[in-house]
Amino acid sequence: MLKFVFMILLMIPLSFLKNFYWMVQNLIFLSVFLFMINLSSFNFFNYISYYFGMDMISYSLILLSFWICGLMLMASESVFNKNNYEKLFIIMILFLLLMLILTFSSMSIFMFYLFFEASLIPTLFLILGWGYQPERLQAGVYLLFYTLLASLPLLIGVFFILNKLNTLFFILLLNFSFMNMNLLYLSLIVAFLVKMPMFLVHLWLPKAHVEAPVSGSMILAGILLKLGGYGLLRMFSLLQISGIKFNYWWISVSLVGGVLISLVCLRQTDLKALIAYSSVAHMGIVLSGLLTMTYWGLTGAYALMIAHGLCSSGLFCLANISYERMGSRSLLINKGMLNFMPSLSLWWFLLCSGNMACPPTLNLLGEISLLNSIVGWSWVTMIMLTFLSFFSAAYSLYLFAYSQHGKIYSGIYFFSVGNSREFLLLMLHWLPLNLLILKSNYCMLWI
């Protein structure tokens, strides 16, 4: 793992050279290629170095982190064209990538906690430094307080585990499970529920998304929401017995919340807010699948996390492309895009259909597995899952139909052809989303 960490560290000096962001971007994609080559002769022992290691759970998420960070640089040309502190911007992205890789490859719970929290710092700087409106300060405060307040009990829980078991290594903790430790269960799980985010503690996410630049939205939707799911996957070996007793609370809240949030989506006029709220609805079903603690649930949640990372990130890129042309994110102004940018309508269609889990996207694989696991856990959940699936299709169609059809609001009759960078960016989101289903055993967990 250290060779990839050093590769990222040595990219930082490149960011100080003028107009060298393309070099950093190409090196990130090269590291994706090197990382993928190693899968053919996969051996866990090759990746163990000091406190870091990698297994199949972290492999796909590290790969996704590299991929999304490369695409973030590709999407942020406006930062480089305006000379808007672009060197600092590249350093923030590289630092964030480094923190994410160290988070996913940590073998100790404390190291995981440390980098889990450290990934918040560059995200905060991205929102505060390159956001669009003055409200970004409020969004930054929301992000900081929600996540920090919830993760302090996690730190206390980590110290408690060290005191009880004298080890913090994930591998050694697989044999233990705490009984009748309700406070420990709560302290270890709440930080991840906020990060997912679960309904009722989701308010920071739409605010952060709406105020963040396109790169901030991409990394938030693509990777940072997955940190919560990854943490739960790692922690539930310790909390199985408490989980059987208490998980139904969180599943109930997530499913009811998913339906309510889907209804909120149908009332949105802001493009980014709609996509951000749709993330909360999707994460509700992921969380429910995870908390059933069944094999179907874990694999389905993992597949949907990867799929949602690519699909949601692509939708934020599309919203940004429209914003750069129209100067507004409002659906009342972004109408009739079929007349204005006909070449982008296909991408809107493909990514909106991915968002509603149409075949052959990876979202479909994840959602079918999750529906199996949740209905198998309790048939009563079918009621909420029916509404959730229906409204999920409804708001995706609403997003597509309202943005593409109708008369152009401002009465302009010229049209815009997107540039090759934008089409490449969208292709690199959509292609893995549809190719991964062909080799879905790599996306599903090898437990």
Side-chain angles (χ1 to χ4, degrees):
M1 280 315 300
L2 285 179
K3 56 179 176 281
F4 291 105
V5 170
F6 280 119
M7 190 168 182
I8 296 163
L9 283 171
L10 293 170
M11 284 182 211
I12 292 174
L14 285 177
S15 61
F16 290 104
L17 300 171
K18 193 167 173 62
N19 290 334
F20 241 63
Y21 71 93
W22 56 270
M23 187 66 174
V24 176
Q25 179 189 307
N26 290 344
L27 281 171
I28 290 175
F29 283 126
L30 174 67
S31 48
V32 171
F33 181 63
L34 293 173
F35 202 64
M36 284 169 72
I37 287 173
N38 291 325
L39 188 65
S40 54
S41 58
F42 196 80
N43 182 353
F44 297 123
F45 291 104
N46 292 347
Y47 284 93
I48 293 175
S49 47
Y50 296 96
Y51 284 97
F52 303 108
M54 189 183 73
D55 60 359
M56 280 311 293
I57 304 178
S58 44
Y59 176 82
S60 299
L61 288 164
I62 293 172
L63 195 57
L64 187 66
S65 304
F66 272 121
W67 193 251
I68 298 287
C69 285
L71 295 177
M72 279 164 71
L73 285 167
M74 195 185 282
S76 304
E77 197 156 88
S78 58
V79 172
F80 304 116
N81 287 345
K82 292 175 185 170
N83 290 329
N84 189 6
Y85 297 100
E86 72 273 15
K87 293 177 178 130
L88 191 59
F89 181 76
I90 299 169
I91 290 167
M92 280 301 136
I93 289 179
L94 287 173
F95 181 60
L96 182 53
L97 176 58
L98 185 65
M99 290 301 115
L100 287 169
I101 286 165
L102 293 176
T103 306
F104 290 130
S105 57
S106 293
M107 292 171 72
S108 148
I109 301 184
F110 181 73
M111 300 286 274
F112 169 71
Y113 171 82
L114 190 71
F115 297 121
F116 176 80
E117 288 307 308
S119 63
L120 192 68
I121 300 161
T123 315
L124 189 67
F125 280 129
L126 281 175
I127 293 171
L128 295 180
W130 290 272
Y132 298 120
Q133 291 151 319
E135 287 88 350
R136 63 181 185 262
L137 296 169
Q138 188 193 11
V141 169
Y142 264 71
L143 171 70
L144 198 65
F145 275 87
Y146 261 91
T147 44
L148 274 184
L149 197 68
S151 42
L152 285 173
L154 174 61
L155 183 63
I156 297 163
V158 168
F159 288 145
F160 178 81
I161 292 168
L162 180 63
N163 189 36
K164 282 283 179 192
L165 306 178
N166 294 319
T167 181
L168 285 176
F169 273 80
F170 286 123
I171 315 295
L172 299 175
L173 293 172
L174 287 173
N175 303 322
F176 294 101
S177 190
F178 288 104
M179 292 177 69
N180 301 323
M181 295 253 181
N182 302 344
L183 272 174
L184 179 69
Y185 168 78
L186 207 60
S187 66
L188 289 182
I189 204 178
V190 165
F192 303 125
L193 296 181
V194 170
K195 203 77 169 179
M196 281 291 282
M198 189 184 77
F199 181 68
L200 299 180
V201 284
H202 68 281
L203 209 60
W204 62 272
L205 184 76
K207 280 189 177 294
H209 269 309
V210 168
E211 302 307 328
V214 61
S215 54
S217 291
M218 284 168 72
I219 201 72
L220 265 173
I223 313 292
L224 294 179
L225 299 192
K226 316 302 172 278
L227 279 173
Y230 176 77
L232 288 173
L233 276 170
R234 291 292 192 204
M235 287 296 182
F236 259 114
S237 62
L238 283 171
L239 305 169
Q240 285 171 21
I241 295 159
S242 303
I244 292 164
K245 277 165 52 181
F246 297 114
N247 279 357
Y248 71 93
W249 285 104
W250 313 119
I251 294 176
S252 310
V253 169
S254 293
L255 290 176
V256 174
V259 175
L260 294 175
I261 287 290
S262 300
L263 291 170
V264 169
C265 283
L266 289 168
R267 297 286 297 152
Q268 288 300 316
T269 53
D270 187 325
L271 271 174
K272 275 182 108 172
L274 199 159
I275 302 163
Y277 275 113
S278 81
S279 292
V280 180
H282 281 112
M283 286 298 116
I285 192 171
V286 166
L287 188 58
S288 305
L290 265 176
L291 297 181
T292 58
M293 295 197 297
T294 57
Y295 181 74
W296 271 103
L298 296 181
T299 49
Y302 194 72
L304 192 56
M305 284 197 301
I306 302 293
H308 176 266
L310 291 163
C311 183
S312 198
S313 176
L315 281 168
F316 278 115
C317 289
L318 275 169
N320 185 64
I321 291 166
S322 301
Y323 176 69
E324 284 176 351
R325 304 290 194 286
M326 297 294 223
S328 170
R329 290 191 310 265
S330 172
L331 271 171
L332 303 173
I333 292 173
N334 284 288
K335 288 195 299 187
M337 300 295 275
L338 198 56
N339 300 324
F340 176 59
M341 289 190 80
S343 46
L344 267 192
S345 286
L346 174 69
W347 292 109
W348 273 106
F349 172 72
L350 290 172
L351 287 165
C352 284
S353 59
N355 204 37
M356 59 195 268
C358 287
T361 53
L362 190 59
N363 301 60
L364 180 74
L365 179 75
E367 288 209 11
I368 288 173
S369 307
L370 287 168
L371 290 174
N372 265 315
S373 69
I374 298 166
V375 174
W377 178 77
S378 168
W379 65 267
V380 183
T381 56
M382 283 177 88
I383 303 160
M384 282 301 159
L385 285 170
T386 309
F387 283 120
L388 194 58
S389 299
F390 174 75
F391 288 126
S392 174
Y395 64 67
S396 298
L397 283 170
Y398 165 77
L399 172 62
F400 176 73
Y402 266 63
S403 60
Q404 300 310 301
H405 301 303
K407 289 182 179 176
I408 297 179
Y409 176 78
S410 52
I412 43 178
Y413 285 103
F414 65 90
F415 83 46
S416 170
V417 184
N419 55 43
S420 54
R421 172 188 63 88
E422 289 166 346
F423 292 124
L424 180 62
L425 175 65
L426 294 167
M427 175 64 91
L428 291 176
H429 278 108
W430 179 81
L431 205 60
L433 188 64
N434 288 267
L435 281 180
L436 282 173
I437 202 163
L438 301 176
K439 197 68 179 163
S440 53
N441 57 330
Y442 281 154
C443 317
M444 306 297 258
L445 276 174
W446 291 358
I447 299 177

